[in-house]
Every structure is written in structure tokens, then in C-alpha cells.
Amino acid sequence: NAGVMQNPRHLVRRRGQEARLRCSPMKGHSHVYWYRQLPEEGLKFMVYLQKENIIDESGMPKERFSAEFPKEGPSILRIQQVVRGDSAAYFCASSPPGVNYGYTFGSGTRLTVV
Amino acid sequence: TQLLEQSPQFLSIQEGENLTVYCNSSSVFSSLQWYRQEPGEGPVLLVTVVTGGEVKKLKRLTFQFGDARKDSSLHITAAQPGDTGLYLCAGDHGGGSNYKLTFGKGTLLTVNP
């Protein structure tokens, strides 16, 4: 009964490269949420996805960031042409459909841009 | 921007002491959640409170949601080193966006043996 699985745990990218972060939700969960935790900041909502649909991407930067949750496979958060300011911990959470009474978060991916 | 202010930002106490941490906002939340986060890990849900004035107990932890649903507190009795961590509160404004949580920056608690 695995929880929310994120990989890689740590990712180092040079400026200008692409970063791909993966999230496999808990079994039976069809809703995925991505949050970002910048140093000295609280977690910030980025995007909410259901299978094959982006429900709310109001927290995503307008450029370079994209997310998907295909019918098969994990959810992917993609950051193109990374910059130093993208260095952060990225967390994924999942839930079954319905009212949110608390998320199960993954362990996160710590992205470092050098 | 509806902010959640947590206080204190840092707290260092001795094992066996009691403590209270606070989470305050100027806006009303539909529900409020408390999480604990350890270094290198994701937040782990402790409790969700949804009714103004609600009190929930989880072993030595007592959570209270303010009557006006704008604030919350977490009280720990007889703290233990295993309670060490970053305590985060997060609220949602209900309706169609109840999935979108606003997080505070957290209280970093250190319990010394």
C-alpha cells in the first residue's frame, strides 16, 4: 500500500536544462496536486490535475512550466530552461475525488539549479 | 492574498514542557489543516478542523479552530524529542477551490532531551 511516490528525490540541473519531476499518486487516487516550497517560504499551490485534464493551473508560472497527468503513468511536472530561482522542493499530493479533508504528500523532489 | 501567519517562527524547549503554536489570518477559512514536516520529507497530515470552535485531540496534541474560523492553535503537552519538526497550518476557502491550500511558513519546533 504505497503512498505518493515522487522521483527523483534529488535533481541537479544546469541553467538552461530541462527538469522532469514525476509523481505517482496513491492507489485509487485520481486527483494530483503540485506544490512548491521555496527556501524560507511556505508551500505554494501550483496546479491541480485529474487524469488527462488540467483543472486549475493558476499557481503555475506562465512560462517554462507545464504539467500533465496522462491516462497511464505518473503525473509529470516539466520545467524548461531552468534558472537558479527554480531551485526548490516540489511536492506532489493526491486524493480521491470529493471533499478535501487533508492531503497525502509525497517526499518531494529537491531541485537544485547550478 | 489571504495569508496565514504562524507564530512563533522558532521554538526550542526541553523535554517534558508544554507549548502552544498559533496560526492566524484575517480571512475566514472553510477548513484548516495541520501538518508536520521533517527535514527532507513531505508534510504529514495531523488533523483537519472544519467547525468554528472545534477542538480535536490526538494523544498529547490538542488542536483548536477559532470560533470565527480565522485562527487555530496547536498545544502539545509534555513534549518529547520525537515531536521535533516543522509544524505547518494550511487553510482552504471551500467551494469549488477547496483543493487549493494556503500554507503558513511554519513553526520550527526543537525538543531537547
Side-chain angles (χ1 to χ4, degrees), chain A residues 9 33 35 37 40-45 48 55-56 58-59 91 98-108 110, chain B residues 3 9 31 33 35 37-45 48 50 86 88 92 97-105:
Chain A
R9 290 291 303 271
Y33 317 84
Y35 282 75
Q37 189 173 37
E40 310 303 322
E41 296 287 330
L43 282 91
K44 305 287 186 190
F45 169 81
Y48 163 33
I55 307 302
D56 182 348
S58 59
F91 292 98
V99 179
N100 169 29
Y101 283 130
Y103 289 142
T104 299
F105 280 92
S107 296
R110 277 138 192 91
Chain B
L3 296 176
Q9 189 176 355
S31 74
Q33 302 166 17
Y35 293 82
Q37 185 178 21
E38 299 189 15
E41 296 296 330
V44 175
L45 179 69
T48 300
V50 297
L86 179 66
L88 299 165
D92 79 88
S97 64
N98 66 330
Y99 54 84
K100 190 183 295 187
L101 295 180
T102 298
F103 277 84
K105 293 184 181 181

Coordinates of all heavy atoms in Angstrom, one line a residue, chain A residues 9 33 35 37 40-45 48 55-56 58-59 91 98-108 110, chain B residues 3 9 31 33 35 37-45 48 50 86 88 92 97-105:
Chain A
R9 N 14.3 11.9 -6.0 CA 14.3 12.7 -4.7 C 15.1 13.9 -4.8 O 14.8 14.9 -4.2 CB 14.8 11.8 -3.6 CG 13.9 10.6 -3.2 CD 12.6 11.1 -2.5 NE 12.9 11.9 -1.4 CZ 13.0 11.4 -0.1 NH1 12.9 10.2 0.1 NH2 13.2 12.3 0.9
Y33 N -2.0 17.0 -7.1 CA -1.8 18.5 -6.9 C -0.3 18.6 -6.7 O 0.4 17.8 -6.1 CB -2.4 18.9 -5.5 CG -3.8 18.4 -5.4 CD1 -4.1 17.1 -4.8 CD2 -4.9 19.2 -5.7 CE1 -5.3 16.6 -4.7 CE2 -6.2 18.7 -5.6 CZ -6.4 17.4 -5.0 OH -7.7 16.9 -4.9
Y35 N 2.7 21.3 -5.4 CA 3.1 22.5 -4.6 C 4.6 22.7 -4.6 O 5.3 21.7 -4.8 CB 2.6 22.2 -3.1 CG 1.2 22.4 -2.9 CD1 0.2 21.5 -3.2 CD2 0.7 23.6 -2.2 CE1 -1.1 21.7 -3.0 CE2 -0.7 23.8 -2.0 CZ -1.6 22.8 -2.4 OH -2.9 23.0 -2.1
Q37 N 7.9 24.5 -2.6 CA 8.3 25.1 -1.3 C 9.7 25.7 -1.6 O 10.7 25.1 -1.7 CB 8.5 24.0 -0.2 CG 8.7 24.6 1.1 CD 8.6 23.5 2.2 OE1 9.0 22.3 2.0 NE2 8.1 23.8 3.4
E40 N 12.8 29.4 2.8 CA 12.2 30.5 3.6 C 10.7 30.8 3.3 O 10.2 31.8 3.8 CB 13.0 31.8 3.6 CG 14.5 31.5 3.8 CD 14.8 30.9 5.1 OE1 14.1 31.2 6.1 OE2 15.7 30.0 5.2
E41 N 10.1 30.0 2.4 CA 8.7 30.3 2.1 C 7.8 29.1 2.4 O 8.3 28.0 2.6 CB 8.6 30.6 0.6 CG 9.3 31.8 0.1 CD 8.7 33.1 0.5 OE1 7.4 33.1 0.6 OE2 9.4 34.1 0.7
G42 N 6.6 29.4 2.5 CA 5.6 28.3 2.7 C 5.4 27.6 1.4 O 5.7 28.0 0.4
L43 N 4.7 26.5 1.5 CA 4.3 25.8 0.3 C 3.3 26.6 -0.5 O 2.3 27.2 0.1 CB 3.7 24.4 0.6 CG 4.6 23.3 1.0 CD1 4.8 23.3 2.5 CD2 4.1 22.0 0.5
K44 N 3.5 26.6 -1.8 CA 2.6 27.4 -2.7 C 1.9 26.4 -3.7 O 2.6 25.6 -4.3 CB 3.4 28.4 -3.4 CG 4.1 29.4 -2.6 CD 3.2 30.4 -1.8 CE 4.1 31.4 -1.1 NZ 3.3 32.2 -0.2
F45 N 0.6 26.5 -3.8 CA -0.1 25.7 -4.8 C 0.4 26.1 -6.2 O 0.6 27.2 -6.6 CB -1.6 26.0 -4.7 CG -2.4 25.5 -5.8 CD1 -2.8 24.2 -5.8 CD2 -2.8 26.3 -6.9 CE1 -3.6 23.7 -6.8 CE2 -3.6 25.8 -7.9 CZ -4.0 24.5 -7.9
Y48 N -3.5 21.7 -10.2 CA -4.4 20.6 -9.9 C -4.8 19.8 -11.1 O -5.3 20.5 -12.1 CB -5.6 21.1 -9.1 CG -6.8 20.2 -9.0 CD1 -6.7 18.8 -8.8 CD2 -8.1 20.8 -8.9 CE1 -7.8 18.1 -8.7 CE2 -9.2 20.0 -8.8 CZ -9.1 18.6 -8.6 OH -10.2 17.9 -8.5
I55 N -7.1 20.9 -14.2 CA -8.3 21.5 -13.6 C -8.0 23.0 -13.2 O -8.8 23.9 -13.4 CB -8.8 20.8 -12.4 CG1 -9.0 19.3 -12.7 CG2 -10.0 21.4 -11.8 CD1 -10.0 19.0 -13.8
D56 N -6.9 23.2 -12.6 CA -6.5 24.6 -12.2 C -5.0 24.7 -12.2 O -4.3 24.0 -11.5 CB -7.0 24.8 -10.7 CG -6.8 26.2 -10.2 OD1 -6.0 27.0 -10.8 OD2 -7.4 26.5 -9.2
S58 N -3.6 27.9 -11.9 CA -3.4 29.3 -11.6 C -2.2 29.6 -10.8 O -1.7 30.7 -10.8 CB -4.6 29.7 -10.8 OG -4.8 29.0 -9.6
G59 N -1.6 28.6 -10.2 CA -0.3 28.8 -9.4 C 1.0 28.5 -10.2 O 2.1 28.7 -9.7
F91 N 6.6 19.3 -4.2 CA 5.8 18.2 -3.6 C 4.5 18.0 -4.4 O 3.9 18.9 -4.9 CB 5.4 18.6 -2.2 CG 6.6 18.7 -1.2 CD1 7.1 19.9 -0.9 CD2 7.1 17.6 -0.6 CE1 8.2 20.0 -0.1 CE2 8.2 17.6 0.2 CZ 8.7 18.9 0.5
G98 N -13.7 14.2 -4.4 CA -14.5 14.6 -3.3 C -13.9 15.7 -2.5 O -13.0 16.3 -2.9
V99 N -14.5 15.9 -1.3 CA -14.1 17.0 -0.5 C -12.7 16.7 0.0 O -12.3 15.6 0.4 CB -15.1 17.1 0.7 CG1 -14.6 18.2 1.6 CG2 -16.5 17.3 0.2
N100 N -11.9 17.8 0.1 CA -10.5 17.7 0.6 C -10.5 17.8 2.1 O -10.8 18.8 2.7 CB -9.7 18.8 0.0 CG -8.3 18.8 0.7 OD1 -7.8 17.8 1.2 ND2 -7.7 20.0 0.7
Y101 N -10.2 16.7 2.8 CA -10.1 16.7 4.2 C -8.6 16.4 4.6 O -8.3 16.0 5.7 CB -11.0 15.7 4.9 CG -12.4 16.2 5.0 CD1 -13.5 15.4 4.5 CD2 -12.7 17.4 5.5 CE1 -14.8 15.8 4.6 CE2 -14.0 17.9 5.5 CZ -15.0 17.1 5.1 OH -16.3 17.5 5.1
G102 N -7.7 16.7 3.7 CA -6.3 16.6 4.0 C -5.6 15.7 3.0 O -6.1 14.7 2.5
Y103 N -4.4 16.2 2.6 CA -3.7 15.6 1.6 C -2.7 14.5 2.1 O -2.2 14.6 3.2 CB -2.8 16.6 0.8 CG -3.6 17.6 0.0 CD1 -3.2 18.9 -0.1 CD2 -4.6 17.1 -0.8 CE1 -3.8 19.8 -1.0 CE2 -5.3 18.0 -1.7 CZ -4.9 19.3 -1.7 OH -5.5 20.2 -2.5
T104 N -2.4 13.6 1.2 CA -1.2 12.8 1.4 C -0.1 13.3 0.5 O -0.3 13.2 -0.7 CB -1.5 11.3 1.1 OG1 -2.6 10.8 2.0 CG2 -0.3 10.4 1.3
F105 N 1.0 13.8 1.0 CA 2.0 14.3 0.2 C 3.1 13.2 0.0 O 3.3 12.3 0.8 CB 2.7 15.5 0.9 CG 2.0 16.8 0.8 CD1 1.1 17.2 1.7 CD2 2.2 17.6 -0.3 CE1 0.4 18.4 1.6 CE2 1.6 18.8 -0.4 CZ 0.6 19.2 0.5
G106 N 3.8 13.4 -1.1 CA 5.0 12.6 -1.3 C 6.2 13.2 -0.6 O 6.0 14.2 0.1
S107 N 7.3 12.6 -0.7 CA 8.5 13.0 0.0 C 9.2 14.2 -0.8 O 10.1 14.8 -0.3 CB 9.5 11.9 0.1 OG 9.0 10.9 1.0
G108 N 8.7 14.5 -2.0 CA 9.2 15.6 -2.7 C 10.4 15.4 -3.6 O 11.1 14.4 -3.5
R110 N 13.8 17.5 -4.6 CA 14.6 18.8 -4.4 C 15.4 19.1 -5.6 O 16.3 18.4 -5.9 CB 15.4 18.6 -3.1 CG 14.6 18.8 -1.9 CD 14.9 17.8 -0.8 NE 13.9 18.0 0.3 CZ 12.7 17.4 0.3 NH1 12.4 16.5 -0.6 NH2 11.9 17.6 1.3
Chain B
L3 N -3.3 35.5 3.8 CA -2.1 34.9 4.4 C -2.4 34.2 5.7 O -3.4 34.5 6.4 CB -1.1 36.0 4.7 CG -0.5 36.8 3.5 CD1 0.4 37.9 4.0 CD2 0.3 35.8 2.6
Q9 N 8.0 31.7 15.1 CA 8.7 31.1 13.9 C 9.6 29.9 14.3 O 9.7 28.9 13.7 CB 9.5 32.1 13.2 CG 10.0 31.7 11.8 CD 10.7 32.9 11.1 OE1 10.7 34.0 11.6 NE2 11.3 32.6 10.0
S31 N -11.9 25.2 6.1 CA -11.3 24.2 6.9 C -9.8 24.6 7.1 O -9.3 25.4 6.4 CB -11.4 22.8 6.3 OG -10.5 22.6 5.3
Q33 N -6.0 22.8 8.2 CA -5.3 21.5 8.4 C -3.9 21.8 9.1 O -3.3 22.9 8.8 CB -5.1 20.8 7.1 CG -6.4 20.5 6.4 CD -6.2 20.2 4.9 OE1 -5.1 19.8 4.5 NE2 -7.3 20.2 4.2
Y35 N -0.1 20.1 9.6 CA 0.9 19.1 9.1 C 2.2 19.3 9.9 O 2.5 20.3 10.4 CB 1.2 19.4 7.6 CG 0.1 19.2 6.7 CD1 -0.9 20.2 6.4 CD2 0.0 18.0 5.9 CE1 -1.9 20.0 5.5 CE2 -1.1 17.8 5.0 CZ -2.0 18.8 4.8 OH -3.0 18.6 3.9
Q37 N 6.3 18.4 9.2 CA 7.2 18.1 8.2 C 8.6 17.9 8.8 O 9.1 18.8 9.6 CB 7.3 19.3 7.1 CG 8.2 19.0 6.0 CD 8.2 20.1 4.9 OE1 7.8 21.2 5.2 NE2 8.5 19.8 3.7
E38 N 9.2 16.8 8.5 CA 10.6 16.6 9.0 C 11.6 16.9 7.8 O 11.2 16.9 6.7 CB 10.7 15.1 9.5 CG 9.8 14.9 10.7 CD 10.0 13.5 11.3 OE1 11.1 12.9 11.1 OE2 9.1 13.1 12.1
P39 N 12.8 17.2 8.2 CA 13.8 17.5 7.1 C 13.9 16.5 6.0 O 14.0 15.3 6.3 CB 15.1 17.6 7.9 CG 14.7 17.9 9.3 CD 13.4 17.2 9.5
G40 N 13.8 17.0 4.8 CA 13.9 16.1 3.7 C 12.7 15.2 3.3 O 12.7 14.4 2.5
E41 N 11.6 15.5 4.0 CA 10.4 14.8 3.8 C 9.2 15.7 3.5 O 9.3 16.9 3.6 CB 10.0 14.0 5.0 CG 11.0 12.9 5.4 CD 11.2 11.8 4.3 OE1 10.2 11.5 3.6 OE2 12.3 11.3 4.1
G42 N 8.1 15.1 3.0 CA 6.9 15.9 2.7 C 6.1 16.1 4.0 O 6.3 15.4 5.0
P43 N 5.2 17.1 4.0 CA 4.3 17.3 5.1 C 3.4 16.1 5.4 O 2.9 15.4 4.4 CB 3.5 18.5 4.7 CG 4.2 19.1 3.6 CD 4.9 18.0 2.9
V44 N 3.2 15.8 6.6 CA 2.3 14.7 7.0 C 1.1 15.3 7.8 O 1.3 16.0 8.7 CB 3.1 13.7 7.9 CG1 2.1 12.6 8.4 CG2 4.2 13.0 7.2
L45 N -0.1 14.9 7.3 CA -1.3 15.5 7.9 C -1.4 15.0 9.3 O -1.4 13.8 9.6 CB -2.5 15.1 7.1 CG -3.8 15.5 7.6 CD1 -4.0 17.0 7.4 CD2 -5.0 14.8 6.8
T48 N -7.5 17.7 10.6 CA -8.3 18.7 9.9 C -9.4 19.2 10.8 O -10.1 18.4 11.4 CB -8.9 18.2 8.6 OG1 -7.8 17.7 7.7 CG2 -9.7 19.2 7.8
V50 N -12.9 21.7 10.9 CA -13.8 22.3 9.9 C -14.9 23.1 10.6 O -15.6 23.9 9.9 CB -14.5 21.2 9.0 CG1 -13.5 20.5 8.2 CG2 -15.3 20.2 9.9
L86 N 8.8 20.7 11.7 CA 8.2 22.0 11.3 C 6.7 21.7 11.2 O 6.2 20.9 10.6 CB 8.7 22.3 9.9 CG 8.2 23.6 9.2 CD1 8.6 24.8 10.0 CD2 8.6 23.6 7.8
L88 N 3.1 23.0 10.2 CA 2.5 23.9 9.2 C 1.0 23.9 9.4 O 0.4 22.8 9.6 CB 2.9 23.4 7.8 CG 4.3 23.3 7.4 CD1 4.5 22.4 6.2 CD2 4.9 24.7 7.2
D92 N -8.2 26.3 3.6 CA -8.8 26.4 2.2 C -10.1 27.2 2.4 O -10.7 27.3 3.5 CB -9.2 25.0 1.6 CG -10.4 24.4 2.3 OD1 -11.5 24.7 1.7 OD2 -10.3 23.7 3.2
S97 N -12.9 25.6 -4.8 CA -11.5 25.6 -4.8 C -11.0 25.1 -3.4 O -9.9 25.5 -2.9 CB -10.9 27.0 -5.0 OG -11.4 27.9 -4.0
N98 N -11.7 24.1 -2.9 CA -11.3 23.6 -1.6 C -10.0 22.8 -1.6 O -9.4 22.5 -0.6 CB -12.4 22.8 -1.0 CG -12.6 21.5 -1.7 OD1 -12.4 21.5 -3.0 ND2 -13.0 20.5 -1.1
Y99 N -9.5 22.5 -2.9 CA -8.3 21.8 -3.0 C -7.1 22.7 -2.9 O -6.0 22.2 -2.7 CB -8.3 21.1 -4.4 CG -8.5 22.1 -5.5 CD1 -7.5 22.9 -6.0 CD2 -9.8 22.3 -6.0 CE1 -7.7 23.8 -7.0 CE2 -10.0 23.3 -7.0 CZ -9.0 24.0 -7.5 OH -9.2 25.0 -8.5
K100 N -7.3 24.0 -3.0 CA -6.2 25.0 -3.1 C -5.9 25.4 -1.6 O -6.6 26.3 -1.1 CB -6.5 26.1 -4.0 CG -5.3 27.0 -4.3 CD -5.8 28.2 -5.1 CE -6.3 27.9 -6.5 NZ -6.5 29.1 -7.3
L101 N -4.8 24.9 -1.1 CA -4.5 25.3 0.3 C -3.5 26.5 0.3 O -2.6 26.6 -0.5 CB -3.8 24.1 1.0 CG -4.6 22.8 1.2 CD1 -3.8 21.8 1.9 CD2 -5.9 23.1 2.0
T102 N -3.8 27.3 1.3 CA -2.8 28.4 1.7 C -2.1 28.0 2.9 O -2.7 27.7 3.9 CB -3.6 29.7 2.0 OG1 -4.3 30.1 0.8 CG2 -2.6 30.8 2.4
F103 N -0.8 27.9 2.8 CA 0.1 27.4 3.9 C 0.7 28.6 4.6 O 1.1 29.6 4.0 CB 1.2 26.5 3.3 CG 0.8 25.1 3.1 CD1 0.2 24.7 2.0 CD2 1.0 24.1 4.1 CE1 -0.2 23.4 1.7 CE2 0.7 22.8 3.9 CZ 0.1 22.4 2.7
G104 N 0.9 28.4 5.9 CA 1.8 29.3 6.6 C 3.2 28.9 6.5 O 3.5 27.8 5.9
K105 N 4.1 29.7 7.0 CA 5.5 29.4 6.8 C 6.0 28.4 7.8 O 7.1 27.8 7.7 CB 6.4 30.6 6.9 CG 6.2 31.6 5.7 CD 7.1 32.7 5.8 CE 6.9 33.7 4.6 NZ 7.8 34.8 4.6

